[in-house]
């Protein structure tokens, strides 16, 4: 729709219609009057048909000129709808009467008699094998998306639907076959290198291709698409795209739909959309400390951004590669990436991107114990964040200046900085930043040998990290707690938790370092 495309949605799930409920109630649902059931019932009654203007409802529009319109099943909140539906004998109409041709007529009217020329017609069909479903799946579509879940009933039903389509004669021009796209839905998201998802898809493919009694009915499904579980939809259905409450860019499900669109409409899903999807999926991996999965996705996105000439996207990818290198403690590679991204952000006038690069270069200097260079970078970035109103960025710089003071054993200055940053993190709702400040205040107490105060701060921070959850920082906090508790059993409990948390994110290096340190202290 954002590319000016006009879509019409046709609700042919007549026994359980509901497409109109996905959109604004006042604009769509409250205006439903005439629909598909009325179209057939009126012809049955007096051999006339309702006007398309009576059936068509505008659901959404876009400034690009794109739009979504709905042809509903009918006004399902009235007794009239269900009475009319019960009066329609689909078997008689479709096999002995006019029903087949009426479906084609409805499709023709949508294509030719509206005030606008629709680019695509999407049809929602009844689940399972029914008379109406047979027409909708075998006669009307150029492409059929068959969504199923991983249970025996769904798999066998999907197999029979696909076999029925394979047996049916072609109604498309030039004898082309209907494109079928089986889609496995409601499965958890796994890392790209995890064997679980490929193994599951291979199992599904084997079951769909099971040998039929009539050998010519046996399927040859080569690929199965996937729609992952979206946690934000677990409790209530909603349309996430365009909804300010949700960030679809980081959603694996959003990426799944882009991939599905790429299969169905290869001329519509642009390289720019693919690049955005890849970069956002990489961010999901990065946040879960799966940097080996994130890196190739960012590199693919970078290539696409360069092809379309999107300098902003190119800068974002290079910056992300810097973050990945920094997380791997490859300071030289990280520095090179941030220095590549910096002039690109300046070129497009992205002050926040510029500030992020400068601050990250400060992080590298701090990691190398070059405190003077780090301080200079943070003090450069701080006014840039203030310029664009980034409270989060401002808090990060102040926090890092506190880290420099702590590294220099200037406890009073460090405490002042952390206490400046803490309310800023609370202001923007950054639980991670808040926890970092509190843990660092615990570090000051530890340096001053005030173990009781340090323990209190670490326990406060751990509670916040657990709320996110953030295993990397949780591990460090358990390690700190092991330094301030004295019963050996309690100390070992915290060390064990640190090992477990770091192993869960693939940081065996931190576990080895912890174990070697403990060996030396013993």
């Amino acid at each position: 729709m954002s590319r000016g495309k006009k879509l019409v949605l046709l609700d042919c799930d007549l026994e359980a219609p509901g497409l109109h409920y996905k959109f604004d109630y006042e604009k769509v649902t409250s205006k439903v009057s005439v629909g598909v059931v009325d179209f057939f019932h009126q012809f049955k009654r007096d051999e006339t048909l309702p006007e398309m203007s009576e059936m068509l409802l505008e659901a959404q529009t876009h400034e690009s000129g794109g739009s979504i319109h709905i042809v509903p099943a009918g006004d399902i909140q009235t007794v009239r709808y269900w009475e009319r539906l019960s009066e329609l004998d689909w078997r008689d109409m479709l096999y002995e009467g006019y029903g087949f041709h009426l479906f084609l007529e409805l499709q023709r009217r949508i294509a030719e008699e509206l005030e606008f020329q629709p680019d695509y017609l999407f049809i929602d069909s009844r689940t399972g094998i029914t008379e109406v479903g047979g027409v909708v799946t075998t006669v009307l579509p150029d492409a059929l998306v068959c969504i199923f879940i991983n249970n025996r009933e769904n798999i066998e039903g999907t197999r029979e639907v696909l076999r029925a389509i394979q047996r049916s004669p072609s109604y498309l021009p030039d004898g082309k076959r209907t494109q079928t796209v089986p889609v496995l839905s409601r499965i958890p998201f796994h890392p790209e290198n995890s064997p679980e998802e490929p193994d599951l898809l291979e199992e599904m493919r084997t079951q769909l291709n099971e040998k039929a009694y009539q050998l010519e009915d046996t399927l040859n499904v080569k690929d199965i698409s996937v729609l992952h579980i979206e946690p934000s939809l677990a409790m209530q259905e909603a349309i996430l795209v365009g909804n300010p409450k949700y960030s679809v860019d980081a959603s694996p499900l959003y990426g799944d739909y882009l991939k599905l669109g790429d299969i169905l409409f290869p001329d519509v899903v642009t390289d720019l959309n693919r690049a955005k999807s890849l970069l956002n999926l990489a961010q999901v991996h990065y946040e879960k400390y799966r940097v080996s999965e994130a890196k190739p996705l960012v590199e693919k996105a970078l290539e696409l951004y360069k092809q379309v000439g999107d300098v902003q996207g190119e800068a974002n990818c290079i910056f992300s590669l810097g973050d990945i290198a920094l997380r791997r403690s490859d300071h030289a590679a990280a520095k090179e990436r941030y220095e590549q991204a910096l002039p690109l952000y300046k070129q497009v006038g992205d002050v926040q991107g510029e500030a992020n690069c400068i601050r990250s270069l400060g992080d590298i200097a701090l990691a190398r114990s070059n405190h003077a260079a780090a301080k200079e970078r943070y003090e450069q970035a701080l006014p840039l964040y203030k310029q664009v109103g980034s409270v989060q960025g401002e808090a990060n710089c102040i926090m890092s200046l506190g880290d420099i003071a702590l590294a220099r054993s200037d406890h009073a200055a460090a405490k002042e900085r952390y206490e400046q940053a803490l309310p800023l993190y609370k202001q923007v709702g950054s639980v991670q930043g808040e926890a970092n400040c509190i843990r660092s205040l615990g570090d000051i107490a530890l340096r001053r040998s005030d173990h009781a105060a340090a323990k209190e701060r670490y326990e406060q921070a751990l509670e916040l990290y657990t709320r996110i959850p953030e295993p990397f920082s949780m591990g460090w906090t358990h390690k700190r707690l092991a330094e301030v508790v004295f019963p050996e059993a309690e100390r070992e409990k915290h060390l064990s938790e640190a090992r477990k948390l770091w192993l869960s994110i693939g940081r065996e290096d931190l576990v080895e370092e912890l174990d070697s340190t403990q060996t030396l202290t013993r």
Side-chain angles (χ1 to χ4, degrees), residues 147-393:
I147 299 176
F148 65 102
I149 61 176
N150 182 17
N151 65 39
R152 184 172 179 178
E153 175 188 350
N154 261 252
I155 295 166
E156 291 186 358
T158 299
R159 185 171 60 224
E160 291 312 307
V161 168
L162 294 176
R163 285 177 178 176
I165 294 167
Q166 184 169 273
R167 284 193 299 268
S168 300
S170 172
Y171 296 93
L172 297 178
D174 303 322
K176 289 196 307 183
R177 305 295 304 179
T178 299
Q179 178 188 8
T180 55
V181 184
V183 179
L184 178 62
S185 68
R186 301 184 197 173
I187 66 168
F189 180 73
H190 295 98
E192 281 209 341
N193 63 350
S194 167
E196 293 180 61
E197 189 169 303
D199 289 349
L200 175 61
L201 293 178
E202 180 58 29
E203 180 187 341
M204 296 297 100
R205 198 177 68 84
T206 300
Q207 291 191 51
L208 291 177
N209 290 339
E210 185 179 290
K211 190 176 292 185
Y213 180 75
Q214 299 287 339
L215 290 180
E216 62 270 21
D217 287 345
T218 303
L219 300 172
N220 184 26
V221 173
K222 295 180 180 178
D223 298 300
I224 298 175
S225 297
V226 167
L227 295 176
H228 291 99
I229 293 169
E230 172 55 56
S232 60
L233 298 178
M235 300 301 292
Q236 183 178 10
E237 282 192 344
I239 294 179
L240 301 190
V241 177
N243 190 327
K245 294 181 180 179
Y246 300 96
S247 175
V248 298
D249 289 344
S251 167
L253 181 61
Y254 178 65
D256 295 337
Y257 275 112
L258 285 178
K259 291 175 185 175
L260 187 56
D262 202 8
I263 294 170
L264 297 169
F265 318 110
D267 58 325
V268 174
V269 179
T270 65
D271 285 341
L272 185 58
N273 282 336
R274 292 189 190 96
K276 287 179 180 177
S277 177
L278 287 168
L279 186 56
N280 293 326
L281 188 57
Q283 186 63 28
V284 173
H285 284 298
Y286 177 82
E287 288 173 357
K288 294 183 180 296
Y289 291 86
R290 297 193 290 252
V291 291
S292 59
E293 287 86 1
K295 189 170 185 282
L297 294 171
V298 177
E299 289 170 340
K300 290 177 188 175
L302 177 59
E303 184 180 339
L304 291 170
Y305 278 124
K306 285 182 176 179
Q307 286 176 10
V308 299
D310 188 319
V311 177
Q312 176 79 53
E314 184 181 345
N316 291 341
C317 287
I318 294 170
F319 182 84
S320 294
L321 289 170
D323 284 346
I324 289 169
L326 185 58
R327 182 157 284 181
R328 287 173 162 171
S329 298
D330 188 347
H331 297 153
K335 182 173 184 290
E336 181 182 356
R337 290 298 192 177
Y338 294 138
E339 288 175 344
Q340 287 174 350
L342 184 57
L344 296 178
Y345 281 127
K346 288 182 177 179
Q347 180 183 330
V348 297
D350 185 346
V351 177
Q352 177 143 346
E354 182 184 346
N356 289 341
C357 284
I358 294 169
R359 181 177 61 81
S360 296
L361 288 167
D363 292 341
I364 293 171
L366 179 59
R368 290 173 165 178
S369 298
N370 188 345
H371 298 152
K375 184 172 183 290
E376 181 183 354
R377 291 293 193 180
Y378 295 138
E379 289 175 344
Q380 285 176 349
L382 187 55
L384 295 177
Y385 283 124
K386 289 182 177 179
Q387 178 184 331
V388 297
S390 174
V391 177
Q392 175 84 40

